[in-house]
Amino acid sequence: MRQRLSSEPDRYRGRRRVPTPPRSRYAAVVTTAFVGAGVVALGAGALPDAKSVSPTVLDELKQASITSQDVAARADTADRASRDSRGKDAAEPEVWLLPLQGYDFNSPYGMRWGKLHTGVDLVSAEGTPYVAIHDGLVTKAGWFGGYGYAVIVQHADGSEAIYGHSSAVSVKEGQQVKAGDQLGLVGNTGHSYGAHLHLEIHVKGQPIDPVPFLQDRGVDIKLQVEAIYSEVAAS
């Protein structure tokens, strides 16, 4: 029997197993982990976490939201302004009217018998109703010296209309009236020569000629025509 020498290498009978280098196993693990993380990241990309978004992106998103809200607010404001503007355009223009119908125009504004006649006289039968020429506040309703029974109406523009020599008044002081509301009845009270309505217009406390004043507002008191310049007055 042959004796095996200690220097003779050991022989492996059969197929020899080749060991896997440690570096190769480490690379495989790292590769698998990297690929898995990529898949997870890819799936999560469809639903980003707000915490993972950069501050710049968040600022851009916030700014876009604010901008869209601002645009909506501006659009709503413009729409309201448009509606308000249409409402104002649809509002009725100021109304100015004749104080009487079917009268004789007599004694115009100007010097008469050495004195200033501060209004116009509209001759009509006693007891004929007369009306307000414009909206306003009644500041006087009753006896008023030489005017007899009179009504004074102050308009929104500061002008005043005085209706004198009435036989009776139909309103009270402090009452709001509209153009066309009855104020009283034609009479012959105070310093009067016969039944008529004395009409005066005061601007800034001073009497002015009622004829051009009312013409500028669409009323020709001499021709007894109302709203002849309505288009000009409305503009």
Side-chain angles (χ1 to χ4, degrees):
M1 183 175 180
R2 184 180 178 181
Q3 185 178 1
R4 188 175 57 183
L5 297 176
S6 58
S7 60
E8 185 178 358
D10 187 14
R11 294 182 181 179
Y12 176 79
R13 297 180 183 272
R15 189 174 180 179
R16 185 176 183 182
R17 180 183 175 187
V18 178
T20 302
R23 182 176 299 177
S24 300
R25 289 199 300 270
Y26 177 78
V29 171
V30 172
T31 302
T32 304
F34 179 79
V35 173
V39 172
V40 172
L42 182 61
L47 298 172
D49 187 355
K51 295 189 294 296
S52 66
V53 181
S54 67
T56 302
V57 175
L58 284 177
D59 291 341
E60 292 177 355
L61 292 174
K62 290 178 181 179
Q63 186 61 38
S65 177
I66 293 172
T67 302
S68 63
Q69 292 174 4
D70 183 60
V71 170
R74 289 176 182 270
D76 183 61
T77 301
D79 184 59
R80 286 200 304 270
S82 178
R83 289 197 300 269
D84 293 342
S85 177
R86 289 195 298 270
K88 290 180 180 178
D89 293 341
E92 294 182 0
E94 291 188 345
V95 177
W96 292 80
L97 301 174
L98 293 166
L100 283 172
Q101 298 291 335
Y103 54 82
D104 291 329
F105 183 88
N106 197 359
S107 298
Y109 176 91
M111 296 304 295
R112 185 179 68 173
W113 303 327
K115 295 182 179 180
L116 177 64
H117 185 234
T118 53
V120 295
D121 292 342
L122 310 178
V123 179
S124 185
E126 187 168 346
T128 302
Y130 64 86
V131 301
I133 60 175
H134 190 53
D135 304 354
L137 174 68
V138 177
T139 58
K140 181 68 180 179
W143 190 263
F144 192 48
Y147 293 92
Y149 288 106
V151 176
I152 301 178
V153 177
Q154 185 178 59
H155 309 134
D157 62 3
S159 64
E160 294 178 306
I162 302 177
Y163 308 80
H165 307 310
S166 307
S167 61
V169 296
S170 308
V171 292
K172 298 179 180 180
E173 294 180 10
Q175 181 178 337
Q176 291 283 346
V177 295
K178 294 288 188 180
D181 287 350
Q182 181 175 321
L183 301 179
L185 305 176
V186 172
N188 189 27
T189 59
H191 299 164
S192 173
Y193 59 86
H196 70 286
L197 175 67
H198 175 83
L199 176 66
E200 284 188 25
I201 299 294
H202 286 206
V203 173
K204 297 182 179 179
Q206 298 298 318
I208 63 170
D209 189 348
V211 174
F213 177 86
L214 291 175
Q215 283 179 337
D216 289 342
R217 288 154 179 78
V219 176
D220 193 320
I221 199 168
K222 294 182 70 174
L223 298 178
Q224 303 184 39
V225 177
E226 295 172 340
I228 58 173
Y229 305 120
S230 59
E231 293 184 1
V232 176
S235 63

